[in-house]
Amino acid sequence: MIPSDVFFSSTLDYNIKSVNPSYKNEQPDLIGGTKQQLLNFTIVALGLAVCLFLIWLD
């Protein structure tokens, strides 16, 4: 589906609802996030920390 943060989102929502009346716009989760997103962030942060530590040792 089309992301909800598109510039013309109100027009797109209207067009989608005209085709599919049961469509509900997804609201972005700005606070927290899912467990998978938290896990991904933790893995990337740890990888960055390890890389910076290895550069510092060199």
Side-chain angles (χ1 to χ4, degrees):
M1 222 43 200
I2 300 169
S4 61
D5 59 344
V6 176
F7 183 69
F8 298 106
S9 65
S10 61
T11 304
L12 292 172
D13 288 343
Y14 174 77
N15 290 337
I16 292 170
K17 284 189 177 199
S18 67
V19 174
N20 183 4
S22 64
Y23 170 75
K24 292 184 181 176
N25 188 10
E26 295 179 9
Q27 297 297 326
D29 185 15
L30 300 177
I31 300 172
T34 63
K35 290 182 182 179
Q36 184 65 37
Q37 289 172 333
L38 183 60
L39 180 65
N40 290 344
F41 175 77
T42 305
I43 291 170
V44 170
L46 286 174
L48 177 63
V50 168
C51 287
L52 291 175
F53 181 72
L54 291 174
I55 290 171
W56 181 71
L57 282 179
D58 201 22

